[in-house]
Each structure stands twice: as C-alpha cells, then as structure tokens.
Amino acid sequence: MHRRRCRSAVLALGMIASLLVPTAVAAPPAAAAPSGTRKVIAQLFEWNWPSVASECTNVLGPKGYGYVQVSPPQEHVKGNPWWVAYQPASYRVESRKGTRAQFQSMVNTCHAAGVKVIVDAVINHMSGQDNGGTGWAGSSYGHYDYPGIYQTQDFHHCGRNGGDDIVNYNDRYEVQNCELVNLADLKTESDYVRSRIAGYLNDLLSLGVDGFRLDASKHMPAGDIAAIKGKLSRSAYLVQEVIYGAGEPIQPTEYTGNGDVHEFRYGKDLARMFNSERLAYLKNFGAAWGYLPSGSAVAFVDNHDTQRDGGVLTYKNGGSYALANAFMLAWPYGSPAVMSSFTFSGKDQGPPSDANNKTLNTTCYSGWECEHRWRVIANMVAFNNATQGAAVANWYDNGYQHIAFSRAGRGYLTINDEGFAVTGRSYYAGVPAGRYCDVIHGDFGNGSCSGPVITVDSSGWFAANINAHDAVAVHIGAKLP
Ligand code: LM2
Ligand code: CA
C-alpha cells in the first residue's frame, strides 16, 4: 500500500496549489538588511543585470537570501541558446545580459540590499566554434585565437579521440587536458594563462563581486585552481563545480582545499526519496550518505544543467519540488542554493530574448518561473536564517512519507508526502510557547501572518492537520507578538 503512487497531474495540482503561489513581494525594509548568517544562494539563471538588481532590492534582500549567483558576465559567442554564455569570446564584461556599467550598478544595488554576488566564472575553456567568429561585444576570435588574450600555445591539444575531445571519464589526464564538447581547453598549468584568468577574476573583484562559481572545475587540476586563487587581489568565496561520478579518478573531495564544492548527489538522492523511496530515509541525510563534509558543500535540488538532464526534481514537478526545497532549507547540510529558471520545453532553448538575442527583463509571470519567489521556498529562506547553528532534534517519521524535525529551540518542519491527510495529532516542536506563522501557507510581516497561525503550548507541543503532499513550518523569526 505504500508503493509510490503515480500522481495524476490534475489531482496533484489541486492538492498542492497552495505550495505554488508566489510570496507577496514586500516593499524593501527601511532598515539595512541583516547580515552575518545568511547563507542561502539564489541562482538567477540567465537574468539580465537590471532585473537581478531590482530582484535584490524587492525580493532577495527582504526575503533573507544571502547571495545571488549570476550567469557568466563575459563576452560570449553569438546565438540564441542559453549555453552561448559558456563559450567566452573575450573577458570584456559585456554580454546579452547587459553592459559593464549595468553589471557594476547591479552589484552596488545588491550590496545595498544586503545580498552578495557570486559570478559564474568560465575559466577552463574558451569557445567551441571550429570556424571562429565575432563575439557579442564585437571581438573577433578564432577557435584557438583570442587577440590580445590567448593564442594557440595557450591551449591543450591532447591528441586523443580524433578531435581532442574528452571521451573517457575514467582517465584523469583526458578529463583535464582534452576538450569538453569541443571547447578550446586552456593550459591552466601555464603561468601566463593563470595570470590572464586571475586578471579577469580580479577585474570582477574590482567591480565588487563577492565570489565565484568555478565552471567545469573537474576539468582543471585542483592545484591549477589553487594557483589561480593565489593570484586573486583579495579573498573571495569559491564554489567549484565538480560533478561526482561513481568510480571516477577525479573526486570532489580533491577540491575542498580551495573552497566549497557542489554536491551533485544531494539533488539526485532527494529526488529518488520523493519519487520512489521514502522520506523516512532522510533521517541522516548528508555526509553519512557519502557526501562531501557539510562545511565544504553547496547543496541544491537542481541547477541549470541537472534540470535539463533529468533525474532531479524541477519546477515542472510542482508541489514535490516545493517540498524538496523546504526540506533543503530546513535541513543543516551545506550551503543551500535555490534554482530560479526560465521556463523551457527544449534543452537548448534560450531565455526570453529580443530579435538580437539580447535577454529581456524578467517578468515572473511569463517565460520565467521564479521558483525563488514561490511562497514555500521564499519563506523557508528565513527559516534557514533563523535556525543557523541549531542541531536537528525531535526527528519523527511514520516509516514512510511523513517526517518531522526541529532545529533545536528555533524551528520545526513537518512534511506529509503521503497520499492522505494526517489529522488529529500533535507535534513536539520544542520551540518557545507562543503563536507562530505557518510559513508554508502564509507570509509573515509586520508582526502578522497572512495564513494559518500555529499555537505552541508551554510544553512545546502544537496540534495541526496536514493535507496530503503538504507541510507545516514554524520558526522563531516568524512568531507573532
Ligand atoms: C559546465 N560546467 O562544467 C556548465 O555548467 C555547462 O552548462 C556547460 O555546458 C559546460 N560546463 C561548459 O561550460 C553548456 C551546454 C553544452 C554547450 C556548452 C558550451 O550544456 O551543451 O555545448 O555549454 O556552450 C554546446 C553544444 C555542443 C558543442 C559546444 C561547442 O551543445 O554540442 O560541442 O556547444 O560548440 C560541439
Ligand atoms: Ca581543462
């Protein structure tokens, strides 16, 4: 009877509708945004700079996001697909997402809202066009020739597989010295190349950037990244993209000396628990599952690659996706990164753009999904902030799809992903007595809650009914006066 259901879309939508509404967009707070413990990253994939700036002011800051991760800002090859951003034509900060001045203004605006900026830095390679061309900002380039930047001697030619391409991920040399999908692979062991890459990153640091997501990190030896890091003009947050592959010689743990690393197993396993196994198994989710140490990991339900490649939950899963993000934001493993997508039907489809492929301003009702604004996800960011440093306590599960846990003394989440409501029972939250906003169904602001209020008694218990595929969450940052 507990075999996993195949939910009809219509049925699921009815039940989880409340999980999908976007949160109210509040006016920016008068006081400066709080700082310190805000760890949650919002990946505003392919957003242009003016739209990122206003989102920092209107949503990310007020909702408590600590970081915004933006798509690659450097000049790229021309075209409509989103992935042109991953083919640098030069290091000019000029792209379909905006000019250098717009980028600078975005960084300043985000900082004023208390949000730090992480840049997706493409440094393993340049373009993949055999015939070269002209980049977005007018720079001409050849496959192995970027005037004033790199010439043929600055690239690897591994001489394997007929076209220098990577085929065998069980061969360390090949993964790091051959070409990832024909992308001209930089000689990151050369001091000149390292200095040139550091020059680009230092330019971004001079614009106020706070950190980098290092694209294709697995394709660069950890020592090469360390050497580039050593050339940075000041310290910056680093998160390295190293996709775990079972049995591969290059392991994510090799990179933790440089900074954080993305834990790709997290989203895949979480999807499996929701889709075909049991939420009860999440009791020891994290390092005990063989993952990176919590303090070195960035956790995510999906990112721009995995949402296209499958095997994870995405916005297309609706309520399950909201619940998976709620779990991630409540559970103390790694630094959580929330994905924010443009809607797509084809893998290569670019973001909403004009006839010249310039990215249009984001509108969260058309062409863009804005998962980071979904009520459940946006409100659980404040839960994450309010519970920093508190251990998991009071774990409960029914053996299957109903789980609950507290973050000692600060917050409590219960998820019921059964196909039936759980009614007439109480939960031990262990938070101070009082009235709390159920932030899964209501927004908290100015001392009031737009949804259901949960009353915790003097012994730390509360009573609640929880619908099928739904949840309840309370935390001390959303306690009514
Ligand atoms: C990444 N991390 O390591 C990015 O997260 C991922 O999105 C990038 O691939 C990849 N590494 C390179 O930076 C994407 C996209 C590819 C696309 C590349 C380059 O997933 O499909 O490749 O960017 O734009 C495309 C074509 C491919 C072609 C290549 C070069 O799909 O068929 O290869 O361009 O022209 C012949
Ligand atoms: Ca490489």
Side-chain angles (χ1 to χ4, degrees):
M1 82 185 239
H2 278 285
R3 237 180 327 117
R4 298 299 289 173
R5 60 269 164 204
C6 176
R7 296 173 195 149
S8 102
V10 175
L11 185 67
L13 266 183
M15 288 193 237
I16 47 89
S18 70
L19 299 178
L20 301 179
V21 289
T23 186
V25 174
S35 61
T37 57
R38 310 199 310 170
K39 292 175 68 173
V40 183
I41 301 166
Q43 182 188 354
L44 299 190
F45 179 57
E46 286 296 308
W47 286 44
N48 71 23
W49 309 144
S51 295
V52 172
S54 56
E55 199 69 359
C56 279
T57 305
N58 297 325
V59 178
L60 300 182
K63 282 294 172 185
Y65 286 94
Y67 297 85
V68 60
Q69 181 185 307
V70 300
S71 287
Q74 89 294 320
E75 180 179 10
H76 50 78
V77 303
K78 289 181 180 170
N80 173 259
W82 59 271
W83 42 251
V84 295
Y86 293 92
Q87 299 192 39
S90 82
Y91 291 140
R92 289 179 60 189
V93 179
E94 181 94 29
S95 70
R96 71 195 298 186
K97 294 177 286 294
T99 63
R100 182 180 181 90
Q102 289 174 315
F103 182 87
Q104 170 78 83
S105 160
M106 174 274 289
V107 173
N108 293 343
T109 303
C110 289
H111 285 174
V115 181
K116 294 180 174 146
V117 178
I118 298 173
V119 162
D120 193 344
V122 183
I123 61 172
N124 169 66
H125 53 260
M126 297 298 280
S127 74
Q129 317 293 312
D130 283 326
N131 299 322
T134 304
W136 170 267
S139 304
S140 56
Y141 64 91
H143 195 189
Y144 302 105
D145 179 22
Y146 300 81
I149 312 174
Y150 300 123
Q151 276 68 54
T152 186
Q153 72 276 1
D154 300 318
F155 294 95
H156 289 139
H157 291 282
C158 73
R160 295 192 183 177
N161 309 315
D164 286 346
D165 261 7
I166 300 167
V167 171
N168 180 9
Y169 275 79
N170 290 314
D171 183 327
R172 174 184 292 270
Y173 178 88
E174 188 166 321
V175 172
Q176 297 182 327
N177 296 276
C178 291
E179 295 181 349
L180 175 63
V181 293
N182 204 44
L183 299 163
D185 199 62
L186 285 162
K187 269 191 189 161
T188 48
E189 68 273 30
S190 121
D191 189 61
Y192 172 77
V193 168
R194 290 172 176 179
S195 297
R196 206 66 194 73
I197 290 170
Y200 167 52
L201 301 181
N202 285 334
D203 183 37
L204 292 167
L205 289 176
S206 80
L207 295 173
V209 158
D210 302 279
F212 302 106
R213 171 222 183 233
L214 298 182
D215 180 68
S217 291
K218 188 199 273 186
H219 302 281
M220 299 178 280
D224 291 2
I225 293 175
I228 293 163
K229 180 183 174 187
K231 291 175 183 284
L232 296 184
S233 55
R234 61 177 166 83
S235 72
Y237 173 73
L238 295 185
V239 54
Q240 299 156 100
E241 192 231 19
V242 184
I243 303 174
Y244 170 80
E248 288 184 15
I250 305 168
Q251 288 292 308
T253 44
E254 293 173 27
Y255 292 80
T256 55
N258 296 329
D260 283 357
V261 180
H262 287 290
E263 179 47 84
F264 277 77
R265 287 164 283 192
Y266 187 102
K268 294 222 180 323
D269 288 339
L270 196 54
R272 222 177 55 252
M273 296 308 112
F274 271 92
N275 288 334
S276 58
E277 294 194 35
R278 300 177 182 188
L279 299 191
Y281 297 157
L282 295 171
K283 186 172 187 170
N284 65 349
F285 197 51
W289 289 42
Y291 299 170
L292 288 156
S294 177
S296 295
V298 169
F300 52 99
V301 177
D302 63 329
N303 74 6
H304 68 283
D305 290 321
T306 66
Q307 72 175 180
R308 287 171 174 73
D309 295 342
V312 298
L313 294 167
T314 74
Y315 73 86
K316 297 182 187 195
N317 297 97
S320 307
Y321 184 71
L323 294 176
N325 275 277
F327 177 83
M328 174 179 76
L329 291 165
W331 188 254
Y333 174 80
S335 297
V338 169
M339 179 66 194
S340 189
S341 317
F342 62 82
T343 55
F344 62 92
S345 47
K347 196 173 171 177
D348 297 334
Q349 184 185 327
S353 311
D354 73 11
N356 298 318
N357 294 318
K358 185 176 166 187
T359 309
L360 297 175
N361 290 340
T362 301
T363 53
C364 280
Y365 45 87
S366 164
W368 304 84
E369 185 58 39
C370 301
E371 299 92 307
H372 71 289
R373 283 194 191 185
W374 289 12
R375 169 175 288 146
V376 173
I377 298 176
N379 287 352
M380 287 303 289
V381 174
F383 182 112
N384 186 278
N385 292 336
T387 59
Q388 281 299 315
V392 170
N394 309 311
W395 175 272
Y396 161 83
D397 66 68
N398 69 345
Y400 299 96
Q401 313 301 350
H402 182 200
I403 61 170
F405 58 94
S406 74
R407 296 293 302 279
R410 294 169 176 267
Y412 191 81
L413 169 69
T414 174
I415 296 177
N416 174 30
D417 201 31
E418 297 288 1
F420 49 85
V422 177
T423 58
R425 59 155 293 173
S426 290
Y427 298 85
Y428 180 69
V431 295
R435 300 171 68 236
Y436 291 83
C437 190
D438 170 11
V439 298
I440 300 291
H441 301 98
D443 299 327
F444 179 78
N446 298 321
S448 73
C449 179
S450 69
V453 171
I454 299 287
T455 302
V456 176
D457 70 20
S458 57
S459 314
W461 289 79
F462 70 88
N465 296 330
I466 309 178
N467 288 333
H469 311 301
D470 207 338
V472 168
V474 297
H475 66 87
I476 56 167
K479 189 168 183 283
L480 283 86

